[in-house]
């Protein structure tokens, strides 16, 4: 109903906000089907309003099947008031429609909106009784899409009436609705200027009289709909039509593998329905579930002028649901999306999940947000193209819900589990058996309902009584090393949980075996040899206790279909129970092993082979110490993330400590900071290439400690003619300029004009800036010029591309650019510890090594290498 108010506001030029676009994409013309559906929509609203049962199923009303929804009980008085008004409106509306049967849809709508009974009801709903409005909003979102989209259609129609047709709304009618819109600005801004029709927020703010203390309590309402449907891509199917037709277009993020099978069907659907379709295809592979993929999606959305109120359509399985859902959470801080699930796991678990996420630095789901879809559609028709092994492992998620929360579903799985697996859930067999088809839908619907009931009631995961974590307590310790598909790992852990429940005296022995049997019947694993390493399983338990806020809180069935939580399992007992459980599994078919239980068995890569070393090595290695951390992580995959994080903290701490206990830089030098560098396009360019800010900071800016060293060396030596090779931010030039006498000079060389300009800007304000002479060009060419001018220097700081180091050094020596008794300071001589690690050297590593060796071989110099940051060598020229 909030959107209905928008429709009314739109008559008066009050527009709902959306992203500005260069040119508005062509919008859909309202068609005749609109006027046909009008009467139905009004009737739907009427029945909803007066229906006083606590629960109502759509099946009762429209003969379709959907989940049962609980509604608020309406106050009898309000209901009868609405009923009266609605009946009057229906009568009057029907008469209006009858009297203008030959008119256009626009004309019909105009007449309807002008009718006194319609006007009265619409305004009554939003103005006189906001409680009822909120109830109707629930009904709108949870019951019938056609009703909710009436509101959007009204807005579009009103806009078109105003802008594109000669049909003018009479002033009196416009004024009537206009007054209502003005009222709403104060009473319910969501009703007149919404940016989202799926979310609302409210806040209660209290303050002391002097406003010195302000307390606020905020609340959020998120609405969502879940549909189990068939033939969603049949052009006659209304589900996607109802969302996107009123908007005029659909921007979709599609999994690349789904695109191969269903891309053409998707295009056809939107084409036949006259809806502009923008298809963005992205990888749905676990290995690509990273932040840069999220960024790519964000960019694609921006390039297509995605507005924050248009739901993005996400088509695919669990990975694309996570990654594209994450992009939607970030895009304009929160953009709605519709999830069209094409895999079993997505269809009952990841798809409607309120959690969206991506991996980072090799940690699974390091980044994430809570952002449920506005609409989730599960159509098992898509599963016919799934690899049977992929489908099978998804079944574990159904058993999980069944054992923990739904005995009826559990019994269905006992009876039909085998057959659903064998037929890809009725898509590769059993097609001509309507009863079996019904069973398949029922199983999916029930599993979905269980999931939604548990997860949406604990949206922010603010407590750990999560039945859905059944099968996820100990398996994280061995899933990755085993190479098992997730569902099989969950299967083993569910079996173990059922055994623990039996040992606790919760499940009877018979029921415990029922759980094990259903897992086994569905050809999922109960046991895997990797579990013999019970020490790893214990480590996993420690990790999970940490994750669950200090509690084990392991979900296991208390009875079949009922959740319980085990909060204590001492180490010795865990080892013992694991051995007992192994023995138990050995008596099951296949000795408890699953069918096609490994990722490689279903054509996927072994996740271990793709598991990049612990901290995204290439990006994080800046200094030799960084290399130590990476080696530590790579040495043992079982090294806990915490230990590696601790090592990283110490390594980072070394730099911090050196900085802390060295003399502090001048204010001018402080200004030449990382932030200054970040404003430069060079920074953006390097970031675009995937470098991190840490890399930029450490590699490109001569750090504070090095600057202090340069200053001390100059003060000690009394040098006043200085050459700085590699200007970049100008930090080292300015540091050295500060340390030389008034008549001293720093000549600084840089290949990039942009860097020179940035450095110059950074020196403004320093009284020492006048000592700096800045030259642009290749260092090699500029050295030739300087030599031709007979220039020579007391101190040279060399800090450019490493492959050129040795050649430049030879020029400095051979052309006497470095004075005898002068000092050369060279940065990055350890080059990220490449030589130390014994790995193949990069060109930069080779460049640093060539210089190091060249210095050793040159009798004219004496040098010392200092392990400061990335290694600094001091070279004294003796002859
Ligand atoms: C490591 S940064 C220098 C950092 C600088 N000392 C500071 O304090 O910000 C290296 C700079 O040298 C420049 N450069 C690299 N190779 C060069 C070459 N062969 N000739 C001239 N400039 C070069 C790069 O463009 C970059 O700006």
């Amino acid at each position: 109903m909030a959107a209905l108010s928008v429709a009314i506001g739109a008559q008066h030029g009050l527009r709902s906000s959306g992203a500005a676009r260069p040119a508005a994409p062509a919008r859909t013309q309202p068609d005749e089907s609109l006027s046909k559906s009008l009467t139905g929509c009004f009737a739907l609203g009427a029945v909803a309003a007066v229906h006083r049962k606590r629960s109502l199923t759509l099946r009762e009303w429209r003969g379709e099947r959907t989940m049962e929804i609980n509604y608020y009980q309406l106050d009898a008085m309000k209901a009868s008031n609405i009923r009266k008004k609605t009946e009057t409106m229906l009568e009057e509306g029907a008469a209006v429609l009858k009297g203008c049967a030959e008119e256009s849809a626009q004309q019909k709508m105009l007449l309807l909106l002008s009718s006194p009974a319609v006007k009265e009801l619409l305004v009554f709903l939003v103005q006189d009784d906001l409680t009822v409005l909120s109830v109707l909003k629930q009904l709108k979102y949870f019951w019938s899409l056609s009703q909710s989209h009436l509101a959007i259609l009204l807005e579009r129609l009103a806009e078109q009436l105003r802008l594109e047709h000669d049909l003018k709304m009479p002033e009196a009618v416009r004024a009537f609705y206009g007054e209502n819109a003005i009222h709403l600005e104060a009473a319910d801004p969501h009703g007149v200027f919404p940016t989202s029709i799926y979310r609302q927020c409210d806040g209660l703010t209290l303050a002391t009289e002097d406003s010195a203390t302000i307390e606020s309590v905020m609340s959020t309402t998120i609405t969502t709909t879940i549909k189990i449907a068939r033939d969603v891509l049949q052009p006659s199917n209304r589900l996607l039509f109802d969302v996107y037709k009123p908007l005029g277009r659909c921007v979709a993020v599609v999994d690349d593998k789904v695109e191969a099978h269903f891309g053409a069907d998707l295009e056809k659907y939107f084409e036949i329905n006259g809806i502009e379709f923008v298809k963005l295809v992205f990888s749905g592979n676990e290995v690509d579930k990273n932040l840069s993929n999220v960024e790519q999606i964000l960019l694609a959305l921006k390039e297509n002028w995605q507005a924050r109120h248009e739901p993005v359509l996400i088509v695919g399985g669990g990975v694309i649901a996570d990654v594209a859902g994450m992009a939607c959470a970030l895009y304009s801080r929160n953009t709605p999306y519709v999830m069209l699930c094409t895999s079993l796991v997505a269809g009952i678990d990841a798809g409607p999940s309120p959690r969206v996420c991506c991996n980072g630095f090799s940690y699974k789901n390091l980044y994430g947000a809570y952002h449920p879809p506005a609409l989730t559609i599960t159509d098992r028709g898509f599963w016919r193209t799934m690899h049977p092994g992929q489908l099978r492992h998804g079944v574990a998620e159904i058993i999980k819900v069944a054992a923990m929360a739904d005995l009826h579903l559990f019994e269905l799985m006992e009876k039909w589990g085998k057959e659903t697996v064998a037929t890809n859930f009725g898509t590769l067999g059993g097609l001509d058996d309507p009863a079996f088809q019904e069973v398949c839908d029922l199983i999916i619907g029930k599993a979905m309902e269980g999931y939604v009931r548990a997860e949406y009631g604990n949206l922010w995961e603010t407590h750990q009584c999560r039945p859905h974590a059944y099968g996820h307590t100990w398996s994280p310790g061995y899933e990755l090393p085993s190479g098992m598909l997730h569902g099989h790992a969950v299967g083993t852990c569910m079996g173990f949980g059922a055994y623990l429940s039996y040992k606790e005296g919760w499940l009877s022995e018979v029921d415990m075996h029922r759980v094990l049997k259903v897992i086994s019947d569905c050809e999922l694993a109960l046991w895997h040899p990797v579990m013999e390493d019970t020490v790893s399983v214990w480590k996993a338990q420690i990790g999970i206790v940490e994750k669950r806020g200090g509690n084990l809180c392991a979900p296991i069935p208390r009875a079949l279909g009922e959740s319980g939580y085990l909060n204590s399992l001492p180490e010795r007992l865990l080892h013992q129970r694991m051995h007992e459980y192994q023995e138990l599994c050995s008596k099951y078919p296949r000795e408890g092993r699953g069918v096609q239980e490994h990722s490689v068995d279903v054509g996927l890569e072994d996740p271990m082979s793709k598991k990049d070393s612990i901290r995204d090595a290439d990006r994080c290695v800046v200094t030799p110490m960084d290399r130590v951390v990476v080696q530590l992580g790579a040495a043992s995959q079982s090294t806990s993330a915490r230990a590696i994080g601790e090592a990283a903290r110490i390594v980072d701490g070394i730099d911090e400590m050196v900085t802390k206990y060295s003399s502090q830089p001048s204010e001018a030098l402080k200004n030449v900071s990382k932030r200054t560098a970040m404003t430069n396009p060079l920074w953006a360019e390097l970031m675009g290439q995937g470098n991190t800010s840490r890399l930029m900071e450490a590699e490109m800016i001569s750090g504070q400690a090095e600057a202090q060293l340069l200053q001390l060396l100059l003060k000690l030596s009394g040098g006043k003619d200085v050459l700085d090779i590699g200007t970049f931010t100008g930090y080292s030039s300015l540091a050295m300029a500060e340390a030389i006498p008034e008549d001293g000079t720093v000549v600084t060389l840089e290949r990039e004009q942009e860097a020179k300009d940035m450095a110059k800007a950074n020196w403004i304000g320093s009284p020492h800036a006048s000592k700096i002479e800045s030259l642009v060009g290749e260092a090699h060419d500029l050295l030739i010029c300087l030599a031709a001018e007979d220039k020579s220097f007391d101190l040279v700081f060399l800090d450019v591309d490493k492959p050129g180091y040795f050649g430049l050094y030879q020029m400095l020596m051979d052309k006497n650019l470095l004075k005898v008794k002068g000092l050369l300071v060279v940065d990055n001589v350890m080059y990220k510890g490449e030589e130390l690690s014994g790995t193949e050297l990069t060109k930069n590593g080779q460049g640093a090594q060539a210089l190091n060796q060249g210095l050793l071989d040159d009798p004219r110099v004496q040098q010392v290498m200092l392990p400061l940051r990335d290694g600094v060598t001091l070279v004294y020229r003796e002859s």
Side-chain angles (χ1 to χ4, degrees), residues 672 682 699-703 724-733 749-752 755 777-780 782 797 799-802 804 808 827-828:
V672 190
L682 259 182
E699 233 184 355
M700 300 303 286
I701 302 172
S702 302
D724 178 41
I725 311 181
T727 314
F728 192 49
T729 66
Y731 191 95
S732 54
S733 320
L749 317 182
E750 170 61 53
R751 124 197 320 161
E752 305 289 343
E778 268 302 312
H780 173 270
L782 294 172
F797 180 45
D799 187 14
V800 285
D801 289 353
K802 318 310 158 201
L808 293 176
D827 199 11
N828 308 108

Side-chain angles (χ1 to χ4, degrees), residues 565-582:
Y565 299 91
L566 183 73
N567 208 27
S568 168
L569 184 59
E571 181 175 3
R572 226 160 37 94
L573 190 59
L574 172 83
H575 296 310
Q576 183 191 325
R577 293 281 182 252
M578 282 301 268
H579 292 308
E580 292 162 5
Y581 175 66
Q582 178 179 10

Side-chain angles (χ1 to χ4, degrees), residues 56 102 127 130 141 143 160 200 265 305 308 323 335 356 406 432 482 489 495 509 523 650 663 693 768 837 856 868 879:
L56 179 71
E102 300 306 313
Q127 203 174 63
L130 291 176
Y141 291 118
W143 193 15
Q160 275 158 345
Q200 280 204 10
D265 293 343
W305 297 95
R308 67 193 295 184
V323 182
T335 295
V356 291
D406 191 336
D432 48 359
S482 73
E509 188 171 4
E523 301 171 337
I650 293 170
S663 293
S693 57
H768 304 279
S837 71
L856 270 186
L868 178 64
S879 59

Side-chain angles (χ1 to χ4, degrees), residues 85-131:
K85 284 183 192 298
T86 310
E87 280 169 0
T88 315
M89 181 190 79
L90 275 174
E91 269 170 33
E92 205 174 294
V96 168
L97 288 174
K98 205 170 161 194
C100 60
E102 300 306 313
E103 302 289 351
S104 67
Q106 292 85 359
Q107 183 66 41
K108 281 177 193 160
M109 181 59 85
L110 175 60
L111 290 170
L112 265 180
L113 287 175
S114 305
S115 133
V118 174
K119 277 171 19 187
E120 196 186 335
L121 181 74
L122 291 179
V123 172
F124 168 79
L125 290 178
V126 295
Q127 203 174 63
D128 290 2
D129 197 325
L130 291 176
T131 318

Side-chain angles (χ1 to χ4, degrees), residues 814-843:
D814 297 347
K815 295 185 182 299
N816 284 322
L817 285 158
L818 178 65
K819 290 179 187 171
V820 174
K821 302 202 186 315
L823 189 65
L824 168 67
V825 182
V826 193
D827 199 11
N828 308 108
V829 285
M830 289 186 172
Y831 202 71
K832 303 182 181 186
E834 283 185 2
E835 187 180 325
L836 275 170
S837 71
T839 52
E840 200 181 332
L841 298 186
T842 60
K843 287 219 161 64

Side-chain angles (χ1 to χ4, degrees), residues 427-560:
T427 58
L428 295 180
L431 287 165
D432 48 359
D433 180 353
F436 180 59
Q437 293 295 321
E438 275 293 318
V439 164
C440 290
D441 276 346
L442 191 61
I443 290 175
I444 297 304
K446 290 268 173 205
M448 180 76 104
E449 183 180 348
Y451 181 87
V452 170
R453 280 191 193 283
E455 291 293 271
Y456 283 22
N458 185 18
L459 188 65
W460 317 119
E461 284 179 72
T462 38
H463 65 75
Q464 281 300 333
C465 289
R466 299 179 57 233
H468 278 72
Y470 177 40
H472 291 72
T473 300
W474 296 279
S475 55
Y478 54 79
E479 177 178 332
L480 217 54
S482 73
M484 262 189 287
L485 283 161
H486 179 65
H488 287 277
V490 170
T492 59
C493 195
M494 286 195 296
F496 182 54
Y499 178 66
L500 290 175
S501 171
Y502 159 61
K503 284 302 208 185
E504 280 296 300
W506 294 355
L507 277 184
S508 67
E509 188 171 4
V510 171
D511 283 350
M512 181 264 293
H513 278 293
R514 283 175 72 186
V515 176
L516 266 55
K517 182 169 182 315
V518 85
I519 296 171
S520 174
D521 282 355
C522 291
E523 301 171 337
L524 289 162
L526 288 169
W527 178 261
H528 189 283
V530 73
M531 295 160 77
E532 283 166 25
D533 175 10
T534 54
V535 175
S536 291
V537 181
W538 172 247
K539 278 187 191 163
Q541 178 168 319
I542 294 172
I544 217 83
V545 167
E546 195 180 320
K547 196 172 158 199
R548 293 180 184 163
N551 290 306
L552 175 59
C553 200
I556 54 175
R558 189 175 289 277
L560 267 186

